[in-house]
Amino acid sequence: MDQHPAINELTQIVGMKNVITDRNELRVYECDGFSIAKGMPLAVILPQNTAQVSACMKLLADHELSVVPRGSGTGLAGGSVVYDQGVIICTSRMNQIHKIDLENRVAIVQAGCRNITLTETIACTGLRFSPDPSSQRAATIGGNVSTNAGGINTLKHGVTTNHILGLEVVLADGQILETRTNQCYDGIGPDLTGLLCGSEGILGIITRVWCRLVPDPKSFRTIYAVFKSNADACKTVADIIATGMVPTSMEMMDGQMIQVVENAFHFGFNTDADGLLLIEVDGVDEILDDEMKQIIDIAQKNNAMDIEFCADAKRRAELWSARKKTFGAIGRISRSYCTMDACVPRSMLPDVIARVTEIGKEHGLQINNVFHAGDGNIHPILLFDEDQPDQIQKVMEASEDILKYCISVGGTITGEHGVGVEKLSMMHEMFDKSTLKMFLDLKKAFDPKQRLNDAKLIPSDKLKIELHQTNLTTNTPGGAL
Amino acid sequence: MTPEVYPVINSVDGLIQWVHQARESKRPLVDYGIYHAKVGHAPPANHTAFSQTGDIIEHYENDFTIRASAGITLGKLNESLMATNQFLPINADDDLTLGEVINHNMYGPMRCKFGSIRDLLLGLHYVDSFGHDIHVGGRTVKNVAGLDVTRLLVGSMGELGIIHQATLRTYAVPQEVARVDLEIKSLEQLPEQITAWMISPANPTSMHLRRLGDAWHLEVSYFGSSKANDVQVNALKDSLTKLDQIEVTDERRETLTEQFKHGQQSRAWQRKCKTLMRIIFPPREIHTITQKLTDMGITQISGMPAHGCLLVGGQITEKMDNDLRPTLIDTQGMRLWITPPIPSEDHPIPVKPFAPVQSDWQFLQKIKQTMDPNNLFNPGRFIRSKGAK
């Protein structure tokens, strides 16, 4: 097959070793963590600096090729999938930390710097970059910003947008835009940085990030509590929130999930339980015991069967390891699973989890739950066999039912994964036509020709997601959604 | 000439009607707020000034979330929240409306722990320039559905849409507030010291720097139980034993209401000033900036040293403004006039409201043209429309 004329020119900009066109190598870039959606890019470009990104964007604009930005590809909504033979610009080789400024409490990093790299680099300073998504070891900071990533400690410390001071972004025409990149904690005028956070690469390619650094807590108390019913566990979460306490994290697993994790890793969890909470408080050591006692009292009032608490780093690491291994455990019991993401008001959690279970029964599906309960950020995991088209259909129908229910109780269709291609069809449920048009108008202000990660985040006629279709069509990512 | 009308709008439908009327009559709608009435370029001569009434729409008490209309005053909002032992942690005067606070991204010393209004805001309802009622964000604490227009509107000075409703996080009223007043001989080491406090048990909830006479005073506050406050205050005092530049001048325990009252009193000078300016700068530059200000004879200064923000008042002249500019450029800082000097015979041209120019301001013009193509909302106040002089 003839090579597209743009490839040679792109090679001149970034060097041969930073352009991938081999079909086998391109397969790695066919999808992100939302593996149902797949699309083969024309090429993958791996620039090393902003100037190269800008030059590539100008060239791609001249050739009228579409562009999809990508970090490490850990996204969970298909946001970095190419669907029309476009080019991927992957920032993973832009991985430098440019500056760590402890007096201003700011780190300036290239977008491809992995979250864990910055975390480890500043570990000895007493400060940290707070966002800690589960993909922290692989995910880039640019990716964290693009998806406004959350994580386990967002309950107390906020999501990515709360920790970004400024951004350098390359627009679709190659123009370099800097928003509040002066290490100030504030700016004058509308907050473009805020708009770019979570914009899923549809407005520009993030190339540098000004990260706010915050104190790294040194003292913790970790509480593990199990309950006979998951309703009691949910009620405990709602009751803790209602006291006004703000723990660092409150994570929950339902009964099926406890069994799956215990069978896989033998942590010693009580498998009679139908709900497990892992709660952590951080802060001033002398007062953490009081906070922990308050939490234990609430758990006991809600019929906790078993409670364990610790201030010990080793046991803490074990307990968190159990939480982090949940997705690995799921892989042992099901060939395929769909991890959903929605967020609801915390007080509604008992109702929502009960309804999720009902929906699973209605569709004949096993749904396991492991989620950021303190944020109200649920992640029902729907198990299925991808070789069974009827199961895929059931999964999609159940997903839709769950999301619609979440919206009906004041929730949202995504708390941290983003819309990507996965939730395009649900955007009409969430927003009215005027709001969606306003999103599109903003997109056009940044990218008038709509070449940059187009048709993601904002529903359009360009990308038709056939929920129940298993055969690939030319303009459908994966088709099997 | 069309007579001036000052509608007080009390419903979304009413607001939409006014927007349609503004489009048809090409007469912009102007809402500059109380405290910020003189911020930015003056409105066009032909305009409709308006205000909104406000109330609490729904308080999701157990979720620590509240939905209120933009016209509600902070005083009314917090009074209602306090009845349920909750509060909105924004240091601003009671008579400011929630809409004004959002339009100007207000924050104060409590930002140390709670962030600015940008961090407390979960969702917004606003009427756009086409008369549509747009809803962005929501009531959940995490939400990444769609573009984050909620945050785009923070600090937009009412130029992109008329905010009429907001959903915010609230916090529990602390058992008590412990306040320690420190006198600081030099601000040279303060940024380093603030970082040291933040990564220790002395990490403050609130920090307020003030120039009183010839001395710098830093009010450090902690919100919590009396036991927690004991621990934190002691940690702060322990840290001072190694420093000869800082000493404790006062220490007290009070309720949050008393702390709020104290805050109002501390801010009272700002409204009396003939001129008032906000300076924003990287926190480590505080010594350079304050040195320059005091060298120029400016002594009415207060601010948030942890976040690089100062309010500077008194008789600041255009000349002083010009003298300050190189320091701001050197330090990557910026300034905006809250109350600019009135043009005089010596300086007949109004001062530039915002300076120096920041890198994203030009692009913001595109955003203005996209969201308000007919220049209906506070036109030219911050973003100068194409062709505007």
Side-chain angles (χ1 to χ4, degrees):
Chain A
M1 198 170 86
D2 288 342
Q3 191 165 267
H4 193 284
I7 304 296
N8 192 31
E9 294 171 70
L10 288 164
T11 306
Q12 285 171 21
I13 296 169
V14 296
M16 198 177 286
K17 65 176 194 266
N18 293 316
V19 177
I20 299 170
T21 52
D22 178 85
R23 207 166 164 79
N24 287 326
E25 286 183 65
L26 287 176
R27 288 214 178 278
V28 176
Y29 298 89
E30 219 177 17
C31 67
D32 57 19
F34 184 64
S35 58
I36 296 173
K38 287 188 173 117
M40 187 63 81
L42 179 69
V44 174
I45 313 298
L46 296 131
Q48 289 171 295
N49 56 52
T50 305
Q52 287 182 351
V53 176
S54 171
C56 290
M57 290 303 285
K58 280 178 191 157
L59 182 77
L60 292 165
D62 291 344
H63 286 277
E64 297 185 343
L65 282 167
S66 70
V67 180
V68 172
R70 177 180 166 117
S72 295
T74 55
L76 292 164
S80 54
V81 176
V82 169
Y83 65 91
D84 62 352
Q85 281 281 295
V87 170
I88 286 180
I89 292 200
C90 179
T91 58
S92 61
R93 290 185 187 169
M94 297 174 64
N95 53 10
Q96 301 298 303
I97 295 175
H98 282 170
K99 190 175 186 180
I100 291 170
D101 178 347
L102 298 181
E103 280 180 298
N104 283 323
R105 302 178 304 282
V106 177
I108 305 169
V109 301
Q110 282 189 303
C113 174
R114 286 182 301 138
N115 181 306
I116 194 72
T117 307
L118 177 61
T119 300
E120 287 175 354
T121 305
I122 59 175
C124 57
T125 64
L127 296 170
R128 69 167 176 183
F129 179 55
S130 187
D132 64 339
S134 305
S135 55
Q136 188 181 32
R137 300 204 78 78
T140 63
I141 290 176
N144 294 168
V145 175
S146 290
T147 54
N148 191 12
I152 283 169
N153 72 38
T154 58
L155 173 56
K156 181 172 181 180
H157 300 290
V159 292
T160 302
T161 192
N162 305 113
H163 298 277
I164 302 302
L165 297 178
L167 293 171
E168 179 191 77
V169 178
V170 176
L171 304 184
D173 61 359
Q175 185 193 333
I176 299 169
L177 172 68
E178 289 190 12
T179 68
R180 302 187 178 183
T181 55
N182 50 7
Q183 301 196 51
C184 291
Y185 277 68
D186 194 8
I188 299 173
D191 187 352
L192 271 183
T193 305
L195 177 69
L196 286 158
C197 284
S199 61
E200 300 190 28
I202 70 163
L203 304 181
I205 299 185
I206 294 166
T207 48
R208 272 201 298 172
V209 184
W210 278 248
C211 304
R212 183 169 79 103
L213 304 180
V214 295
D216 190 12
K218 293 183 185 71
S219 300
F220 303 88
R221 298 292 183 276
T222 310
I223 302 137
Y224 151 94
V226 290
F227 300 81
K228 192 75 188 162
S229 82
N230 70 37
D232 284 341
C234 289
K235 176 82 171 27
T236 301
V237 172
D239 287 354
I240 291 169
I241 294 294
T243 64
M245 247 191 298
V246 187
T248 318
S249 44
M250 283 203 275
E251 298 290 301
M252 185 173 156
M253 283 184 216
D254 68 10
Q256 287 171 332
M257 206 62 229
I258 297 167
Q259 287 195 1
V260 170
V261 172
E262 185 53 29
N263 290 342
F265 302 113
H266 314 295
F267 285 106
F269 291 160
N270 184 337
T271 49
D272 290 337
D274 196 30
L276 180 153
L277 287 178
L278 195 55
I279 303 172
E280 192 155 275
V281 286
D282 69 30
V284 179
D285 194 64
E286 290 86 339
I287 53 175
L288 290 181
D289 285 336
D290 290 348
E291 285 186 23
M292 186 172 71
K293 192 176 173 308
Q294 252 184 296
I295 290 168
I296 290 170
D297 286 347
I298 292 169
Q300 280 170 338
K301 273 182 204 154
N302 283 300
N303 314 313
M305 297 158 63
D306 189 11
I307 296 175
E308 180 190 328
F309 50 89
C310 69
D312 165 55
K314 188 165 168 262
R315 183 59 182 151
R316 174 178 177 241
E318 279 171 12
L319 288 169
W320 281 110
S321 155
R323 165 64 182 87
K324 286 178 180 169
K325 283 182 172 171
T326 48
F327 285 93
I330 283 281
R332 295 181 178 216
I333 60 156
S334 178
R335 280 192 58 199
S336 312
Y337 59 89
C338 170
T339 307
M340 288 191 59
D341 167 46
C343 200
V344 295
R346 282 84 58 101
S347 57
M348 298 305 297
L349 269 180
D351 294 346
V352 171
I353 295 301
R355 181 69 192 123
V356 166
T357 307
E358 274 173 24
I359 290 170
K361 283 180 187 157
E362 285 164 16
H363 292 275
L365 291 169
Q366 182 177 339
I367 302 181
N368 294 356
N369 288 288
V370 51
F371 58 102
H372 312 304
D375 298 316
N377 188 183
I378 61 165
H379 289 317
I381 303 170
L382 289 71
L383 311 186
F384 67 101
D385 180 349
E386 67 183 1
D387 292 336
Q388 305 283 325
D390 63 320
Q391 286 212 357
I392 295 173
Q393 181 166 340
K394 281 178 184 174
V395 165
M396 300 320 298
E397 285 168 359
S399 300
E400 204 171 303
D401 287 352
I402 291 169
L403 291 176
K404 282 182 179 169
Y405 181 72
C406 290
I407 295 171
S408 76
V409 298
T412 175
I413 56 170
T414 170
E416 60 180 8
H417 292 178
V419 174
V421 295
E422 183 201 5
K423 291 195 174 140
L424 279 172
S425 62
M426 292 305 296
M427 288 291 276
H428 291 292
E429 302 285 337
M430 190 79 205
F431 298 104
D432 65 11
K433 276 185 185 167
S434 306
T435 308
L436 291 172
K437 183 184 176 299
M438 180 267 297
F439 289 158
L440 186 61
D441 288 345
L442 280 172
K443 154 90 177 152
K444 287 179 186 169
F446 284 83
D447 176 17
K449 292 187 177 165
Q450 299 180 68
R451 291 186 310 101
L452 193 50
N453 218 13
D454 194 29
K456 312 278 176 60
L457 185 72
I458 306 166
S460 68
D461 293 337
K462 294 173 193 170
L463 192 54
K464 288 233 181 290
I465 307 294
E466 298 295 338
L467 290 181
H468 313 137
Q469 186 179 332
T470 52
N471 296 323
L472 280 172
T473 59
T474 50
N475 68 343
T476 304
L481 285 166
Chain B
M1 198 173 148
T2 322
E4 287 292 344
V5 278
Y6 296 97
V8 177
I9 303 171
N10 57 14
S11 71
V12 187
D13 289 343
L15 197 52
I16 290 170
Q17 233 173 2
W18 274 103
V19 171
H20 285 308
Q21 204 171 311
R23 279 183 76 187
E24 281 157 23
S25 64
K26 295 185 178 166
R27 187 181 164 94
L29 292 168
V30 165
D31 173 18
Y32 272 24
I34 299 173
Y35 181 74
H36 298 93
K38 291 175 183 166
V39 171
H41 299 280
N46 187 24
H47 70 264
T48 304
F50 74 99
S51 64
Q52 295 182 71
T53 57
D55 216 332
I56 287 167
I57 297 164
E58 209 162 358
H59 183 193
Y60 313 104
E61 209 176 315
N62 288 340
D63 285 318
F64 279 72
T65 307
I66 194 158
R67 194 153 64 92
S69 39
I72 193 170
T73 61
L74 280 196
K76 188 173 172 185
L77 182 60
N78 262 326
E79 190 184 296
S80 178
L81 282 170
M82 292 265 192
T84 60
N85 213 33
Q86 296 184 18
F87 76 112
L88 184 72
I90 287 291
N91 308 82
D93 291 347
D94 281 350
D95 58 349
L96 298 195
T97 64
L98 181 57
E100 182 169 357
V101 166
I102 296 165
N103 277 325
H104 293 276
N105 187 20
M106 289 197 76
Y107 57 89
M110 283 189 283
R111 184 172 178 181
C112 292
K113 179 171 178 180
F114 302 106
S116 67
I117 193 77
R118 179 191 194 277
D119 302 298
L120 300 169
L121 203 54
L122 301 173
L124 282 180
H125 293 193
Y126 69 92
V127 174
D128 73 6
S129 73
F130 308 98
H132 298 129
D133 183 17
I134 305 283
H135 299 188
V136 283
R139 60 174 273 212
T140 55
V141 294
K142 278 160 93 176
N143 188 353
V144 290
L147 292 172
D148 193 350
V149 177
T150 305
R151 251 162 278 272
L152 176 69
L153 260 63
V154 173
S156 63
M157 302 188 204
E159 283 218 52
L160 303 181
I162 302 175
I163 296 167
H164 66 83
Q165 203 179 105
T167 307
L168 303 131
R169 274 170 185 264
T170 61
Y171 283 84
V173 170
Q175 190 186 334
E176 65 165 34
V177 176
R179 177 153 57 89
V180 183
D181 292 353
L182 306 173
E183 188 175 322
I184 303 180
K185 291 195 179 88
S186 161
L187 299 185
E188 207 166 354
Q189 305 300 321
L190 188 62
E192 203 181 319
Q193 190 53 51
I194 286 174
T195 302
W197 283 330
M198 287 173 82
I199 62 174
S200 79
N203 187 11
T205 306
S206 157
M207 264 190 282
H208 188 202
L209 183 73
R210 286 198 293 168
R211 176 95 179 166
L212 297 173
D214 286 340
W216 291 105
H217 285 258
L218 185 68
E219 286 177 9
V220 180
S221 300
Y222 299 98
F223 293 10
S225 64
S226 55
K227 183 181 170 187
N229 287 344
D230 285 346
V231 173
Q232 296 206 272
V233 168
N234 288 336
L236 178 73
K237 286 181 181 167
D238 286 349
S239 74
L240 302 180
T241 55
K242 298 161 214 154
L243 306 168
D244 55 2
Q245 294 282 311
I246 307 177
E247 62 182 56
V248 176
T249 54
D250 192 18
E251 188 187 334
R252 63 185 65 198
R253 304 289 168 114
E254 57 197 4
T255 62
L256 185 69
T257 309
E258 287 165 341
Q259 164 88 359
F260 272 21
K261 241 180 231 168
H262 171 72
Q264 301 256 28
Q265 285 161 3
S266 305
R267 289 190 297 273
W269 68 273
Q270 294 167 16
R271 293 208 184 188
K272 294 175 194 153
C273 282
K274 288 203 168 155
T275 57
L276 186 67
M277 179 191 276
R278 183 195 289 180
I279 302 176
I280 301 159
F281 52 91
R284 72 153 176 260
E285 304 293 353
I286 192 159
H287 180 64
T288 310
I289 303 269
T290 51
Q291 191 76 51
K292 179 70 185 170
L293 292 170
T294 50
D295 286 351
M296 291 195 308
I298 298 171
T299 55
Q300 286 186 286
I301 305 170
S302 79
M304 285 70 79
H307 295 96
C309 178
L310 290 176
L311 282 156
V312 176
Q315 293 271 19
I316 309 172
T317 62
E318 295 84 346
K319 186 182 174 310
M320 287 169 159
D321 184 31
N322 288 335
D323 287 351
L324 180 63
R325 201 159 305 173
T327 309
L328 289 177
I329 291 167
D330 287 350
T331 56
Q332 291 194 297
M334 61 189 114
R335 67 102 182 99
L336 70 90
W337 285 104
I338 291 175
T339 313
I342 298 163
S344 62
E345 272 182 26
D346 293 344
H347 294 275
I349 303 164
V351 289
K352 282 186 179 168
F354 316 102
V357 173
Q358 299 294 301
S359 53
D360 59 357
W361 290 357
Q362 204 184 351
F363 193 83
L364 286 170
Q365 197 178 56
K366 267 192 187 178
I367 300 289
K368 170 75 172 171
Q369 278 162 359
T370 300
M371 294 182 75
D372 181 21
N374 297 314
N375 274 308
L376 295 186
F377 304 142
N378 291 356
R381 184 184 199 188
F382 168 63
I383 307 164
R384 305 306 302 267
S385 310
K386 267 190 181 165
K389 288 180 184 169

